[in-house]
PDB file of all heavy atoms in Angstrom:
ATOM      1  N   PRO A 413      -2.461 -10.412   3.347  1.00 93.00           N
ATOM      2  CA  PRO A 413      -1.939 -11.720   3.772  1.00 93.00           C
ATOM      3  C   PRO A 413      -2.728 -12.869   3.172  1.00 93.00           C
ATOM      4  O   PRO A 413      -3.906 -12.738   2.815  1.00 93.00           O
ATOM      5  CB  PRO A 413      -2.095 -11.669   5.296  1.00 93.00           C
ATOM      6  CG  PRO A 413      -3.203 -10.703   5.533  1.00 93.00           C
ATOM      7  CD  PRO A 413      -3.082  -9.664   4.452  1.00 93.00           C
ATOM      8  N   ALA A 414      -2.061 -14.023   3.084  1.00 93.00           N
ATOM      9  CA  ALA A 414      -2.732 -15.237   2.615  1.00 93.00           C
ATOM     10  C   ALA A 414      -3.790 -15.665   3.626  1.00 93.00           C
ATOM     11  O   ALA A 414      -3.685 -15.381   4.825  1.00 93.00           O
ATOM     12  CB  ALA A 414      -1.704 -16.350   2.426  1.00 93.00           C
ATOM     13  N   LEU A 415      -4.808 -16.356   3.130  1.00 95.00           N
ATOM     14  CA  LEU A 415      -5.892 -16.836   3.992  1.00 95.00           C
ATOM     15  C   LEU A 415      -5.695 -18.285   4.420  1.00 95.00           C
ATOM     16  O   LEU A 415      -6.551 -18.832   5.105  1.00 95.00           O
ATOM     17  CB  LEU A 415      -7.235 -16.685   3.266  1.00 95.00           C
ATOM     18  CG  LEU A 415      -7.630 -15.253   2.897  1.00 95.00           C
ATOM     19  CD1 LEU A 415      -8.972 -15.244   2.177  1.00 95.00           C
ATOM     20  CD2 LEU A 415      -7.675 -14.361   4.125  1.00 95.00           C
ATOM     21  N   ASP A 416      -4.589 -18.883   4.044  1.00 95.00           N
ATOM     22  CA  ASP A 416      -4.311 -20.240   4.493  1.00 95.00           C
ATOM     23  C   ASP A 416      -4.175 -20.248   6.011  1.00 95.00           C
ATOM     24  O   ASP A 416      -3.380 -19.496   6.583  1.00 95.00           O
ATOM     25  CB  ASP A 416      -3.018 -20.752   3.863  1.00 95.00           C
ATOM     26  CG  ASP A 416      -3.129 -20.878   2.356  1.00 95.00           C
ATOM     27  OD1 ASP A 416      -3.996 -21.632   1.903  1.00 95.00           O
ATOM     28  OD2 ASP A 416      -2.347 -20.207   1.648  1.00 95.00           O
ATOM     29  N   GLY A 417      -4.946 -21.119   6.657  1.00 95.00           N
ATOM     30  CA  GLY A 417      -4.845 -21.257   8.105  1.00 95.00           C
ATOM     31  C   GLY A 417      -5.409 -20.108   8.896  1.00 95.00           C
ATOM     32  O   GLY A 417      -5.202 -20.038  10.108  1.00 95.00           O
ATOM     33  N   VAL A 418      -6.165 -19.216   8.261  1.00 95.00           N
ATOM     34  CA  VAL A 418      -6.641 -18.035   8.981  1.00 95.00           C
ATOM     35  C   VAL A 418      -7.625 -18.425  10.091  1.00 95.00           C
ATOM     36  O   VAL A 418      -7.699 -17.763  11.133  1.00 95.00           O
ATOM     37  CB  VAL A 418      -7.265 -17.024   7.998  1.00 95.00           C
ATOM     38  CG1 VAL A 418      -8.578 -17.549   7.424  1.00 95.00           C
ATOM     39  CG2 VAL A 418      -7.478 -15.674   8.647  1.00 95.00           C
ATOM     40  N   GLY A 419      -8.376 -19.519   9.887  1.00 95.00           N
ATOM     41  CA  GLY A 419      -9.295 -19.961  10.932  1.00 95.00           C
ATOM     42  C   GLY A 419      -8.590 -20.581  12.111  1.00 95.00           C
ATOM     43  O   GLY A 419      -9.173 -20.700  13.196  1.00 95.00           O
ATOM     44  N   ASP A 420      -7.351 -20.998  11.923  1.00 96.00           N
ATOM     45  CA  ASP A 420      -6.541 -21.525  13.023  1.00 96.00           C
ATOM     46  C   ASP A 420      -5.827 -20.395  13.750  1.00 96.00           C
ATOM     47  O   ASP A 420      -5.554 -20.485  14.944  1.00 96.00           O
ATOM     48  CB  ASP A 420      -5.519 -22.512  12.470  1.00 96.00           C
ATOM     49  CG  ASP A 420      -4.768 -23.263  13.553  1.00 96.00           C
ATOM     50  OD1 ASP A 420      -5.400 -23.625  14.578  1.00 96.00           O
ATOM     51  OD2 ASP A 420      -3.553 -23.507  13.387  1.00 96.00           O
ATOM     52  N   LYS A 421      -5.543 -19.340  13.032  1.00 96.00           N
ATOM     53  CA  LYS A 421      -4.784 -18.218  13.576  1.00 96.00           C
ATOM     54  C   LYS A 421      -5.648 -17.275  14.401  1.00 96.00           C
ATOM     55  O   LYS A 421      -5.294 -16.917  15.539  1.00 96.00           O
ATOM     56  CB  LYS A 421      -4.129 -17.454  12.422  1.00 96.00           C
ATOM     57  CG  LYS A 421      -3.484 -16.143  12.791  1.00 96.00           C
ATOM     58  CD  LYS A 421      -2.954 -15.434  11.541  1.00 96.00           C
ATOM     59  CE  LYS A 421      -2.361 -14.076  11.863  1.00 96.00           C
ATOM     60  NZ  LYS A 421      -1.828 -13.410  10.647  1.00 96.00           N
ATOM     61  N   LEU A 422      -6.786 -16.855  13.851  1.00 96.00           N
ATOM     62  CA  LEU A 422      -7.563 -15.782  14.458  1.00 96.00           C
ATOM     63  C   LEU A 422      -8.687 -16.315  15.331  1.00 96.00           C
ATOM     64  O   LEU A 422      -9.317 -17.332  15.018  1.00 96.00           O
ATOM     65  CB  LEU A 422      -8.157 -14.881  13.372  1.00 96.00           C
ATOM     66  CG  LEU A 422      -7.158 -14.137  12.475  1.00 96.00           C
ATOM     67  CD1 LEU A 422      -7.889 -13.301  11.457  1.00 96.00           C
ATOM     68  CD2 LEU A 422      -6.215 -13.272  13.309  1.00 96.00           C
ATOM     69  N   GLN A 423      -8.939 -15.592  16.405  1.00 95.00           N
ATOM     70  CA  GLN A 423     -10.093 -15.882  17.257  1.00 95.00           C
ATOM     71  C   GLN A 423     -11.375 -15.686  16.433  1.00 95.00           C
ATOM     72  O   GLN A 423     -11.469 -14.753  15.639  1.00 95.00           O
ATOM     73  CB  GLN A 423     -10.123 -14.924  18.446  1.00 95.00           C
ATOM     74  CG  GLN A 423      -8.926 -15.013  19.366  1.00 95.00           C
ATOM     75  CD  GLN A 423      -9.140 -16.028  20.477  1.00 95.00           C
ATOM     76  OE1 GLN A 423     -10.099 -16.795  20.453  1.00 95.00           O
ATOM     77  NE2 GLN A 423      -8.248 -16.024  21.443  1.00 95.00           N
ATOM     78  N   PRO A 424     -12.388 -16.569  16.571  1.00 94.00           N
ATOM     79  CA  PRO A 424     -13.604 -16.433  15.762  1.00 94.00           C
ATOM     80  C   PRO A 424     -14.246 -15.053  15.847  1.00 94.00           C
ATOM     81  O   PRO A 424     -14.686 -14.504  14.838  1.00 94.00           O
ATOM     82  CB  PRO A 424     -14.520 -17.524  16.328  1.00 94.00           C
ATOM     83  CG  PRO A 424     -13.587 -18.549  16.871  1.00 94.00           C
ATOM     84  CD  PRO A 424     -12.417 -17.777  17.412  1.00 94.00           C
ATOM     85  N   ALA A 425     -14.289 -14.482  17.063  1.00 92.00           N
ATOM     86  CA  ALA A 425     -14.918 -13.166  17.207  1.00 92.00           C
ATOM     87  C   ALA A 425     -14.148 -12.108  16.414  1.00 92.00           C
ATOM     88  O   ALA A 425     -14.749 -11.220  15.789  1.00 92.00           O
ATOM     89  CB  ALA A 425     -14.994 -12.778  18.678  1.00 92.00           C
TER      90      ALA A 425
END
Side-chain angles (χ1 to χ4, degrees):
L415 298 180
D416 295 300
V418 69
D420 188 38
K421 171 184 177 179
L422 297 180
Q423 298 270 10

